[in-house]
Amino acid sequence: MSDLGHVLVLAGGLSYEREVSLRSGRRVSEVLQAAGVSVETRDTDASLVPSVLADPPDAVFVTLHGGAGEDGAIRSVLELLSVPYVGAGPDACRVAYDKPTAKAVVRSVGLRTPDSVTLPKETFHDLGASAVLARIVERLGLPLFVKPARGGSALGASAVRSAEELPAAMVGCFAYGDTALIERCIEGVEVAVSVVDLGDGPVALPPVEIVPDKGVYDYAARYTAGHTEFFAPARLSPEVADACARMAVTAHTALGLRDISRTDLIVDGAGLPYFLEVNVAPGMTETSLLPMAAEAAGDDLGTLCRVLLEQAAARGA
């Protein structure tokens, strides 16, 4: 049994990723209970603050995806409540959650990331979409990848292989956010590297290779069993796998993250990894990548989550 009195798992929220968050929360609650931890799972509604004030948990595990779960807002509230939690602090979350900002930070410490441009919706309205889009294709080339500057689960994201596809991709992107990140699409092997810090510094778990059955790792491919094949560890040479691990740990450190993160990479045909984005609240569902990486490392997920909570409790608010 754990020495933790009781812990709170936050799941749900009001972002587009609510259903995924609920699934992550259920999974974390189940593995913690199996690890001997007393768990309460709560949504983020008007009853949360009074409940926490009346019965403060020893620590909180945040499984909220998108929006307030990853942009630092809910963590700021937890700090106002003097409640310790697993994961990065509000400032680091704000930087990591904004993909263009995260790319700028990791590029500043020497990491490779695809060339890109970030533009708000108003730019296309004010300057004329056709002219701006034509210049993007001319400057970055094809193929491209378009995604909201903030958000996750591949919502609003799409690959663009011809100039004619770009306008529709922009419309799809702007359905989920007001700013688009358009980057050069690197062809290669999709890899996710989870990083955990159990007290001795950040360590990369084995990389997980992602092979979607339709070639695109979209929302359905991420969360529908059987739509994607995963290899944990990834089918990479030891040298490339080590380069991916070092990139993920460097990104985790440069962005000021804490406890846990997941970095998404693409490895090109020459074996060079490129940083795509980082997730401060990695998915914990049955088809999520961090649990696969933990299993590949021989780690028990419940024990890992319990240690992270114990570490947060010892650290304090």
Side-chain angles (χ1 to χ4, degrees):
M1 296 295 289
S2 171
D3 291 334
L4 293 166
H6 86 284
V7 303
L8 185 63
V9 173
L10 289 182
L14 296 176
S15 79
Y16 292 115
E17 299 173 74
R18 173 178 173 81
E19 292 305 316
V20 179
S21 173
L22 290 171
R23 288 170 56 185
S24 286
R26 283 194 296 269
R27 181 85 185 280
V28 169
S29 295
E30 289 168 359
V31 298
L32 283 172
Q33 288 169 353
V37 179
S38 175
V39 182
E40 177 188 6
T41 304
R42 293 192 64 93
D43 208 330
T44 51
D45 54 29
S47 68
L48 178 63
V49 171
S51 174
V52 169
L53 288 172
D55 185 17
D58 289 341
V60 173
F61 204 111
V62 179
T63 61
L64 297 164
H65 304 317
E70 298 183 64
D71 67 2
I74 195 67
R75 297 160 198 252
S76 292
V77 173
L78 293 173
E79 293 192 357
L80 288 172
L81 297 172
S82 299
V83 175
Y85 55 88
V86 171
D91 290 344
C93 285
R94 279 187 282 271
V95 173
Y97 186 59
D98 188 82
K99 295 180 181 68
T101 303
K103 281 167 64 76
V105 170
V106 301
R107 186 183 286 114
S108 74
V109 295
L111 297 189
R112 192 181 300 106
T113 186
D115 292 338
S116 63
V117 61
T118 303
L119 293 171
K121 182 164 53 178
E122 290 78 8
T123 299
F124 297 91
H125 178 271
D126 295 344
L127 300 181
S130 297
V132 175
L133 292 177
R135 182 58 180 163
I136 289 172
V137 172
E138 181 182 344
R139 184 65 179 269
L140 295 179
L142 292 166
L144 297 168
F145 199 85
V146 178
K147 54 189 174 184
R150 310 176 98 208
S153 292
L155 294 168
S158 59
V160 173
R161 302 198 175 278
S162 70
E164 292 73 23
E165 295 175 354
L166 186 53
M170 299 302 297
V171 170
C173 175
F174 288 136
Y176 290 93
D178 292 333
T179 301
L181 170 64
I182 307 110
E183 62 186 359
R184 188 163 61 88
C185 183
I186 307 295
E187 305 280 9
V189 179
E190 291 188 68
V191 175
V193 182
S194 299
V195 173
V196 296
D197 185 347
L198 302 180
D200 296 320
V203 175
L205 298 179
V208 178
E209 180 182 347
I210 303 154
V211 186
D213 60 0
K214 295 182 179 179
V216 179
Y217 194 43
D218 57 14
Y219 187 90
R222 289 167 187 253
Y223 301 115
T224 306
H227 280 220
T228 300
E229 189 173 9
F230 300 97
F231 295 90
R235 299 171 298 177
L236 303 171
S237 70
E239 295 78 14
V240 174
D242 181 64
C244 291
R246 285 187 280 107
M247 180 171 278
V249 170
T250 300
H252 180 98
T253 303
L255 291 164
L257 305 183
R258 185 175 66 184
D259 297 339
I260 189 169
S261 70
R262 192 197 73 232
T263 293
D264 296 337
L265 312 169
I266 191 88
V267 179
D268 72 7
L272 298 175
Y274 286 76
F275 172 93
L276 298 179
E277 58 190 77
V278 68
N279 192 310
V280 300
M284 303 293 275
T285 74
E286 297 78 2
T287 57
S288 293
L289 303 168
L290 188 148
M292 292 182 197
E295 182 178 356
D299 296 331
D300 176 73
L301 184 61
T303 301
L304 188 150
C305 291
R306 187 196 70 213
V307 172
L308 289 171
L309 283 161
E310 290 171 342
Q311 186 171 274
R315 182 169 61 226

